[in-house]
PDB file of all heavy atoms in Angstrom:
ATOM      1  N   GLY A  57     -59.459 -24.653 -72.205  1.00 97.00           N
ATOM      2  CA  GLY A  57     -60.937 -24.497 -72.267  1.00 97.00           C
ATOM      3  C   GLY A  57     -61.723 -25.581 -71.491  1.00 97.00           C
ATOM      4  O   GLY A  57     -62.943 -25.674 -71.495  1.00 97.00           O
ATOM      5  N   PRO A  74     -58.562 -35.305 -64.699  1.00 98.00           N
ATOM      6  CA  PRO A  74     -57.721 -36.206 -63.847  1.00 98.00           C
ATOM      7  C   PRO A  74     -57.948 -37.722 -64.079  1.00 98.00           C
ATOM      8  O   PRO A  74     -58.989 -38.081 -64.394  1.00 98.00           O
ATOM      9  CB  PRO A  74     -58.052 -35.806 -62.458  1.00 98.00           C
ATOM     10  CG  PRO A  74     -59.564 -35.448 -62.570  1.00 98.00           C
ATOM     11  CD  PRO A  74     -59.696 -34.756 -63.867  1.00 98.00           C
ATOM     12  N   LYS A 108     -44.021 -18.992 -48.841  1.00 98.00           N
ATOM     13  CA  LYS A 108     -44.846 -18.412 -47.801  1.00 98.00           C
ATOM     14  C   LYS A 108     -46.340 -18.918 -47.791  1.00 98.00           C
ATOM     15  O   LYS A 108     -46.918 -19.259 -46.798  1.00 98.00           O
ATOM     16  CB  LYS A 108     -44.851 -16.873 -47.868  1.00 98.00           C
ATOM     17  CG  LYS A 108     -43.566 -16.197 -47.527  1.00 98.00           C
ATOM     18  CD  LYS A 108     -43.598 -14.731 -47.967  1.00 98.00           C
ATOM     19  CE  LYS A 108     -42.216 -14.083 -47.659  1.00 98.00           C
ATOM     20  NZ  LYS A 108     -42.197 -12.686 -48.191  1.00 98.00           N
ATOM     21  N   LEU A 126     -35.915 -28.711 -46.226  1.00 98.00           N
ATOM     22  CA  LEU A 126     -34.529 -28.488 -46.641  1.00 98.00           C
ATOM     23  C   LEU A 126     -34.428 -27.721 -48.035  1.00 98.00           C
ATOM     24  O   LEU A 126     -35.099 -28.014 -48.992  1.00 98.00           O
ATOM     25  CB  LEU A 126     -33.839 -29.838 -46.768  1.00 98.00           C
ATOM     26  CG  LEU A 126     -33.813 -30.732 -45.582  1.00 98.00           C
ATOM     27  CD1 LEU A 126     -33.049 -31.992 -45.836  1.00 98.00           C
ATOM     28  CD2 LEU A 126     -33.088 -29.971 -44.459  1.00 98.00           C
ATOM     29  N   ASP A 127     -33.617 -26.634 -48.001  1.00 98.00           N
ATOM     30  CA  ASP A 127     -33.564 -25.778 -49.123  1.00 98.00           C
ATOM     31  C   ASP A 127     -32.234 -26.090 -49.873  1.00 98.00           C
ATOM     32  O   ASP A 127     -31.070 -26.018 -49.394  1.00 98.00           O
ATOM     33  CB  ASP A 127     -33.447 -24.378 -48.682  1.00 98.00           C
ATOM     34  CG  ASP A 127     -33.299 -23.311 -49.830  1.00 98.00           C
ATOM     35  OD1 ASP A 127     -33.150 -23.811 -50.990  1.00 98.00           O
ATOM     36  OD2 ASP A 127     -33.287 -22.082 -49.530  1.00 98.00           O
ATOM     37  N   GLN A 135     -29.398 -30.915 -53.293  1.00 98.00           N
ATOM     38  CA  GLN A 135     -30.774 -31.456 -53.264  1.00 98.00           C
ATOM     39  C   GLN A 135     -30.712 -33.024 -53.230  1.00 98.00           C
ATOM     40  O   GLN A 135     -31.577 -33.657 -52.587  1.00 98.00           O
ATOM     41  CB  GLN A 135     -31.634 -30.919 -54.409  1.00 98.00           C
ATOM     42  CG  GLN A 135     -33.124 -31.334 -54.266  1.00 98.00           C
ATOM     43  CD  GLN A 135     -34.072 -30.624 -55.078  1.00 98.00           C
ATOM     44  OE1 GLN A 135     -33.742 -30.286 -56.208  1.00 98.00           O
ATOM     45  NE2 GLN A 135     -35.293 -30.314 -54.548  1.00 98.00           N
ATOM     46  N   ASN A 146     -38.047 -40.439 -41.042  1.00 94.00           N
ATOM     47  CA  ASN A 146     -39.294 -40.902 -40.556  1.00 94.00           C
ATOM     48  C   ASN A 146     -40.503 -39.984 -41.066  1.00 94.00           C
ATOM     49  O   ASN A 146     -41.314 -39.577 -40.345  1.00 94.00           O
ATOM     50  CB  ASN A 146     -39.430 -41.006 -39.048  1.00 94.00           C
ATOM     51  CG  ASN A 146     -40.616 -41.798 -38.538  1.00 94.00           C
ATOM     52  OD1 ASN A 146     -40.948 -42.745 -39.230  1.00 94.00           O
ATOM     53  ND2 ASN A 146     -41.145 -41.404 -37.314  1.00 94.00           N
ATOM     54  N   SER A 148     -43.661 -38.840 -43.060  1.00 98.00           N
ATOM     55  CA  SER A 148     -45.020 -39.508 -43.434  1.00 98.00           C
ATOM     56  C   SER A 148     -45.111 -39.375 -45.022  1.00 98.00           C
ATOM     57  O   SER A 148     -45.694 -40.271 -45.595  1.00 98.00           O
ATOM     58  CB  SER A 148     -46.192 -38.842 -42.752  1.00 98.00           C
ATOM     59  OG  SER A 148     -45.962 -38.805 -41.378  1.00 98.00           O
ATOM     60  N   VAL A 164     -35.143 -38.942 -56.802  1.00 98.00           N
ATOM     61  CA  VAL A 164     -36.601 -39.059 -56.685  1.00 98.00           C
ATOM     62  C   VAL A 164     -36.984 -40.510 -56.720  1.00 98.00           C
ATOM     63  O   VAL A 164     -37.716 -41.015 -55.953  1.00 98.00           O
ATOM     64  CB  VAL A 164     -37.395 -38.272 -57.658  1.00 98.00           C
ATOM     65  CG1 VAL A 164     -38.888 -38.573 -57.622  1.00 98.00           C
ATOM     66  CG2 VAL A 164     -37.131 -36.720 -57.484  1.00 98.00           C
ATOM     67  N   GLY A 194     -48.997 -25.478 -68.317  1.00 96.00           N
ATOM     68  CA  GLY A 194     -47.708 -25.645 -68.926  1.00 96.00           C
ATOM     69  C   GLY A 194     -47.268 -24.392 -69.818  1.00 96.00           C
ATOM     70  O   GLY A 194     -48.024 -23.497 -69.997  1.00 96.00           O
ATOM     71  N   GLY A 214     -47.730  -5.440 -88.440  1.00 98.00           N
ATOM     72  CA  GLY A 214     -47.137  -4.872 -87.192  1.00 98.00           C
ATOM     73  C   GLY A 214     -45.911  -5.555 -86.786  1.00 98.00           C
ATOM     74  O   GLY A 214     -45.654  -6.770 -87.015  1.00 98.00           O
ATOM     75  N   ASN A 236     -43.877 -18.817 -81.326  1.00 97.00           N
ATOM     76  CA  ASN A 236     -43.368 -18.907 -82.698  1.00 97.00           C
ATOM     77  C   ASN A 236     -44.348 -19.538 -83.616  1.00 97.00           C
ATOM     78  O   ASN A 236     -44.418 -19.067 -84.859  1.00 97.00           O
ATOM     79  CB  ASN A 236     -42.055 -19.632 -82.588  1.00 97.00           C
ATOM     80  CG  ASN A 236     -41.299 -19.621 -83.987  1.00 97.00           C
ATOM     81  OD1 ASN A 236     -41.074 -18.600 -84.537  1.00 97.00           O
ATOM     82  ND2 ASN A 236     -40.946 -20.912 -84.365  1.00 97.00           N
ATOM     83  N   VAL A 314     -52.863  -0.680 -64.985  1.00 98.00           N
ATOM     84  CA  VAL A 314     -54.034   0.024 -64.645  1.00 98.00           C
ATOM     85  C   VAL A 314     -53.746   1.625 -64.699  1.00 98.00           C
ATOM     86  O   VAL A 314     -54.568   2.386 -65.225  1.00 98.00           O
ATOM     87  CB  VAL A 314     -54.525  -0.369 -63.258  1.00 98.00           C
ATOM     88  CG1 VAL A 314     -55.663   0.601 -62.783  1.00 98.00           C
ATOM     89  CG2 VAL A 314     -55.023  -1.798 -63.275  1.00 98.00           C
ATOM     90  N   GLU A 381     -55.201 -14.790 -50.352  1.00 96.00           N
ATOM     91  CA  GLU A 381     -56.023 -13.638 -49.736  1.00 96.00           C
ATOM     92  C   GLU A 381     -56.963 -14.120 -48.674  1.00 96.00           C
ATOM     93  O   GLU A 381     -57.217 -13.403 -47.641  1.00 96.00           O
ATOM     94  CB  GLU A 381     -56.778 -12.844 -50.812  1.00 96.00           C
ATOM     95  CG  GLU A 381     -55.923 -12.103 -51.769  1.00 96.00           C
ATOM     96  CD  GLU A 381     -55.406 -12.978 -52.913  1.00 96.00           C
ATOM     97  OE1 GLU A 381     -55.683 -14.115 -52.922  1.00 96.00           O
ATOM     98  OE2 GLU A 381     -54.704 -12.340 -53.831  1.00 96.00           O
TER      99      GLU A 381
END
Side-chain angles (χ1 to χ4, degrees):
K108 290 174 185 175
L126 297 181
D127 181 358
Q135 188 164 35
N146 198 32
S148 304
V164 173
N236 186 52
V314 171
E381 290 85 354

